[in-house]
Amino acid sequence: MRRLLLLRPEEKREELKIECAEIINFPILRLVEDDFSLNDLNFDTFIFTSKFAYISFKRRVGKSIDEILKGRRIIAIGEKTASAIDFESEIPEKQNWKGIVEMVRRGERVLIVRSRDGNRNLPLELEKRGAFVKTLDIYHAERMESGFEKLCSMFASGSIDAIIFSSGLIAESFFSLFEKYCVKKDLLPKLLVSLGEETSNKLREFNVNFIEVKKPDISMAVREVCNYFMEKFNNM
């Protein structure tokens, strides 16, 4: 059975049961809520760029969530985010920031609820389309270093067959810690998997080979890895 390393924020641990692989969750980031105030609620559209963004927003506005969001247009960046939202929401065909840009109209008043580390292109491109845009940064990510030396040992022993990167920030954090803690730099598994275009763009900065899963779906990424090793075995 293949062993796959899944890099996720601590709050987004994925308990997956896949017959072809053992999933090793490693929390490389911790999500920390930031203070915010909502003085202006005069928006046509609320955009949530992650599941945690909505959960955090809902928890802190409390019962006012109905008054704030009822009857408003809500856009979720992807299916996982939409699944957490208690109101009807729209999902872009391309489940990324570029897909959201294509959905917003000129003159639309938009509030983006997101991480402080979020993609800076989204508000800029929406403004270029003629939308009135405000961002609400309600949390940020902190790097977690605890246990990374153990990962280096697992790489050295060859006990990890593949790594799945679920965001560009995770890729950046991983390679920073890899450089700091792993003495030998040729220890990485041969198979690295990227979820989506933004993650792939960040991985290219580190000059590594990888395969990209177009849809930001962990289960799909795991199946891609299983298929990769199955084809490799069949071609032996």
Side-chain angles (χ1 to χ4, degrees), residues 83-130:
S83 69
I85 297 175
D86 303 296
F87 306 85
E88 183 178 350
S89 60
E90 303 171 42
I91 304 171
E93 185 176 348
K94 301 174 186 174
Q95 295 186 35
N96 56 30
W97 69 271
K98 292 180 180 178
I100 291 177
V101 171
E102 294 173 358
M103 298 175 69
V104 174
R105 302 176 289 267
R106 176 177 294 276
E108 200 165 348
R109 295 177 60 84
V110 175
L111 179 67
I112 305 172
V113 185
R114 66 175 194 176
S115 163
R116 190 203 307 170
D117 314 294
N119 189 295
R120 302 302 169 190
N121 292 315
L122 176 57
L124 294 176
E125 292 300 319
L126 288 177
E127 288 175 348
K128 287 180 183 179
R129 276 180 85 90

Side-chain angles (χ1 to χ4, degrees), residues 2-173:
R2 300 293 180 173
R3 304 184 80 195
L4 314 184
L5 179 65
L6 177 57
L7 301 172
R8 297 284 278 163
E10 185 178 39
E11 294 78 5
K12 296 183 180 181
R13 181 182 178 88
E14 297 271 353
E15 294 295 347
L16 298 174
K17 293 183 178 180
I18 307 291
E19 290 184 3
C20 68
E22 176 188 353
I23 309 298
I24 301 172
N25 280 275
F26 186 82
I28 199 167
L29 297 175
R30 176 186 295 111
L31 303 182
V32 181
E33 293 180 326
D34 294 325
D35 294 332
F36 71 90
S37 60
L38 269 181
N39 299 319
D40 179 13
L41 293 176
N42 186 27
F43 295 98
D44 305 306
T45 302
F46 287 74
I47 296 174
F48 293 94
T49 60
S50 72
K51 182 176 179 179
F52 188 79
Y54 177 77
I55 291 171
S56 177
F57 182 81
K58 175 185 177 181
R59 179 166 56 242
R60 290 190 282 166
V61 300
K63 295 180 179 179
S64 299
I65 191 76
D66 287 338
E67 179 185 347
I68 295 170
L69 295 183
K70 194 171 183 179
R72 306 295 177 93
R73 186 186 190 199
I74 301 172
I75 299 176
I77 196 168
E79 294 171 3
K80 286 285 183 69
T81 302
S83 69
I85 297 175
D86 303 296
F87 306 85
E88 183 178 350
S89 60
E90 303 171 42
I91 304 171
E93 185 176 348
K94 301 174 186 174
Q95 295 186 35
N96 56 30
W97 69 271
K98 292 180 180 178
I100 291 177
V101 171
E102 294 173 358
M103 298 175 69
V104 174
R105 302 176 289 267
R106 176 177 294 276
E108 200 165 348
R109 295 177 60 84
V110 175
L111 179 67
I112 305 172
V113 185
R114 66 175 194 176
S115 163
R116 190 203 307 170
D117 314 294
N119 189 295
R120 302 302 169 190
N121 292 315
L122 176 57
L124 294 176
E125 292 300 319
L126 288 177
E127 288 175 348
K128 287 180 183 179
R129 276 180 85 90
F132 171 82
V133 182
K134 182 176 179 180
T135 59
L136 185 65
D137 299 341
I138 65 172
Y139 71 97
H140 67 277
E142 292 183 351
R143 195 171 293 169
M144 297 176 64
E145 301 191 20
S146 176
F148 202 90
E149 289 173 309
K150 182 180 179 180
L151 277 188
C152 295
S153 299
M154 295 176 76
F155 295 148
S157 66
S159 57
I160 300 293
D161 296 295
I163 305 176
I164 299 175
F165 295 89
S166 55
S167 75
L169 182 60
I170 280 178
E172 183 177 2
S173 299

Side-chain angles (χ1 to χ4, degrees), residues 171-200:
E172 183 177 2
S173 299
F174 173 84
F175 281 101
S176 175
L177 295 174
F178 183 81
E179 182 69 26
K180 181 176 180 180
Y181 289 106
C182 298
V183 178
K184 294 183 180 180
K185 307 308 176 189
D186 58 349
L187 299 177
L188 284 177
K190 292 184 179 181
L191 182 60
L192 307 181
V193 182
S194 165
L195 265 64
E197 181 182 352
E198 293 301 309
T199 307
S200 296

